[in-house]
Amino acid sequence: MEQAPSGRQPTFSEPQKRTPSEERDPAFWNDMAHRDLDRAIQLQKLNLNVAKNVVLFIGDGMGVTTVTAGRILKGQLQGQPGEETVLAMDSLPHMGLAKTYNLDYQVPDSAGTATAYLSGVKAERGTVGVNCRVRNGVCATQKGNEVNSILVLANQAGKSTGVVSTTSLTDATVASTYAHSASRYWDTDANLPWEAVQNGCKDIAAQLVDSAPDIEVLLAGGRQNFLPQNIPDMEYPNRYGTRQDGRNLLEEWVTRKPGTAQFVWNMDEFNAIDSNKTDYLLGLFEPHHMKFSIDRELDSAGEPTLSNMTQKAIQILQKNSNGFFLLVEGGRIDHGHHANQAVRALHDTVAFDDAIQVAKDMLDMQDSLIIVTADHSHTFTFGGYPSRGNPIFGKTDYNFGFELLDRKPMTSLLYGNGPGYSLSGTREDITNIDTGSKDYKQQSAVPLAHETHGGEDVPVFAGGPMAHLVHGVHEQNYVAHVMKYAACLGEYRENCHTQREPRAARGGVAVRTWDFKTKIIVLILIVNLLPYSPIDSQNAMHNGKR
C-alpha cells in the first residue's frame, strides 16, 4: 500500500468488494496470459490479401487516456468493475502509435491531421486536403497544391465510398475526404473572406455538390451550410441556413445523382430507408453538429446512433462487388473534452466503440481492413489512487490524509486546462457536487474558455489485410499509405503486395535502389563501354582459334 508523505497510513473505502473473486486465483491471470499468447503466436500467419474494403474509424480527440477511461465506463455500464473490459478496438490484433504534430504546430488541430492520415502528407494547421505548400487561410497558395484523399482514390478505382460522422458534414475531419481548402472555416460561402473570393476559392459545402467524388453515403450533421439564409430549418423553424448565394445544396445533391437518391433528416425517415433499393443516401440530422450520445433523447425528431449510421452505410456500400471505403468519425468526443465535460466525451467514446463492433460483425476480416485511430489527444488525465471499480466519474475513494493539502476531495479525471477552473484562489470543494452529471466540468489547472488539444502520440489499432503494417511509432501520414498499399490504391496500384524497392535519403534526394534486372542491364552496358585491353585481344585470338 502507498505510504503518505506525512507517515500516516492511507486507507481505501471498501475496495475489496469491487474486485471479482475469481481474480484472486493466480490461475486466472496465467490462463488469460496463455490465451493471449496463443492469439499472438497465430498472428505470425500474416493476412496478405488485398483489402477489398477499408473502414477508417477516427475518434476525434481520443487519446490513450480517453481509451482507458472509456474502457472502464463501458464495463461499468455493463455492471462490471470496468478495468478488465475489452473494447472492440482493443480486440484488433495490431497496434502502433502515430505522431500527430502539424507542419507548423507541436500540438495539432483536426484539419491538418485529417489531411495527413487521409491523403498521406503532413500539412499546416487549419488546412483541408492540400499539401504543405499551402498557407493557412491564404487562398492564393491553394491552386495546384490539392491532394487526393484515399476516398478519392477508392472512387477512381471503382469502389463505393461513404462518410459517417457525429459532427457537421463540412467539419475538418470529414471535409478532408472530399474538399480542398486553405481554411477549415470556409465551410459556407458566408465565411469566405474577400481574398478567397477574389482568388476563386470555393466553400466546402459547395465543393461537396459541385466537385467532390461520387460519394454514395453521407450521414452527419450540418444542414445549415447547405441551405440559403431565407429558408428555415426543417426541424427548428426559428433557425435558418447560412448560404448567401441562394443555393439549396440539399436539393441539388439529390437531383444530380444518377440513381435512387434520398435525403433524410430524422429517425423515422432514416429507418424507412431500404438499403437494397437505395443507391445514394444523404442524412443530415442537425443544423450543426449532432447531439452528444448522452443527449440524444432530447431530440424530438430523433437521431440515429453512430452504430445505426455505420450499419446503414455498410449495407448500402457493400452492394458494390469492387468493395468500398468508409470513414466513420466519433467527432463529439473532442467537443466534450473542449468543454471539460468528461461524461459527454466518454459516453461518445463508448458509442464510437459500439460502432466499431458493428463493422467487425458485418465484415469479413479476411478481405476488410479496419483501422481505428485518433487525430489528436487532449489535456485529459486519469490519476489519483482510486480503488478497483471506483466509478469512473466519481471522487477518488483514497484517503490521502494530509497529502490533500486543501482537505477537499478530488476526481480521478482532471484536465490540464479549460473552463473547469476556479479564479477564487482556492480549489472548489466538490464534496456535495454530483461529478457524474453530464453537465459537470472536471476541474482544470489553467483557466481557459475552451480546453486545448494534447500533443502526445495517439494509438492506431488495426485488423484485416496488411494490418501488421501498423506497428511501432510512425508519422501520422503513414496511416494513409498503409490503407492505400493494402487496397492497391494510388501510387501502390501497380506494385502493391510486392517487395517494394527501399529508398535511401542521400543529400536530401530520395534514391531508389536497383532491382536485379536493372543491375544486369547496367553491368552489360559497363562491360561494353570498357576500353579495349591486351587481355581482350588475347581472349579474342584464343576464341578465334577455337
Side-chain angles (χ1 to χ4, degrees), residues 102 109-120 129 172-174 176-177 375 476:
N102 290 148
D109 87 318
S110 297
T113 52
T115 299
Y117 60 70
L118 285 167
S119 299
T173 300
V174 290
S176 296
T177 62
D375 45 1
Q476 194 167 39

Side-chain angles (χ1 to χ4, degrees), residues 1 10-20 24 81 83 385-391 395-399:
M1 180 174 288
T11 60
F12 293 90
S13 57
E14 300 183 334
Q16 309 293 335
K17 295 182 179 179
R18 303 191 186 117
T19 302
R24 297 288 177 187
E83 298 84 0
Y385 295 107
S387 63
R388 178 71 183 275
N390 194 57
K395 306 171 186 71
T396 181
D397 55 358
Y398 183 93
N399 182 357

Side-chain angles (χ1 to χ4, degrees), residues 101-290:
Y101 64 92
N102 290 148
L103 192 69
D104 51 344
Y105 278 81
Q106 283 184 339
V107 178
D109 87 318
S110 297
T113 52
T115 299
Y117 60 70
L118 285 167
S119 299
V121 296
K122 289 225 173 190
E124 281 199 6
R125 176 181 177 179
T127 61
V128 171
V130 292
N131 65 32
C132 45
R133 297 188 181 95
V134 176
R135 303 305 305 274
N136 184 8
V138 183
C139 172
T141 64
Q142 182 178 316
K143 187 175 181 180
N145 289 316
E146 298 85 359
V147 290
N148 284 331
S149 74
I150 185 173
L151 182 145
V152 175
L153 299 178
N155 176 263
Q156 293 174 350
K159 296 181 182 293
S160 291
T161 56
V163 173
V164 171
S165 177
T166 51
T167 67
S168 167
L169 190 56
T170 53
D171 203 44
T173 300
V174 290
S176 296
T177 62
Y178 63 82
H180 311 283
S181 181
S183 174
R184 61 180 292 182
Y185 299 111
W186 298 347
D187 50 0
T188 176
D189 65 328
N191 292 340
L192 288 172
W194 179 88
E195 186 269 344
V197 174
Q198 292 297 308
N199 285 290
C201 283
K202 183 176 289 189
D203 68 272
I204 292 171
Q207 288 187 53
L208 177 64
V209 175
D210 294 340
S211 55
D214 193 32
I215 306 173
E216 282 83 354
V217 179
L218 296 158
L219 300 172
R223 293 189 296 256
Q224 63 185 13
N225 294 332
F226 295 86
L227 293 173
Q229 292 178 335
N230 63 337
I231 292 185
D233 183 78
M234 53 279 293
E235 186 175 1
Y236 309 101
N238 293 327
R239 298 180 64 173
Y240 289 78
T242 63
R243 302 201 62 79
Q244 295 178 341
D245 57 11
R247 296 178 64 183
N248 187 325
L249 296 180
L250 300 180
E251 291 182 353
E252 290 186 32
W253 185 90
V254 172
T255 57
R256 291 187 184 190
K257 294 305 174 185
T260 303
Q262 300 283 341
F263 167 70
V264 298
W265 63 270
N266 59 49
M267 193 64 182
D268 288 341
E269 292 181 352
F270 176 82
N271 287 336
I273 292 296
D274 185 340
S275 301
N276 293 321
K277 298 179 180 178
T278 302
D279 301 314
Y280 296 90
L281 176 61
L282 171 61
L284 300 180
F285 303 100
E286 284 289 328
H288 196 34
H289 303 309
M290 292 179 67

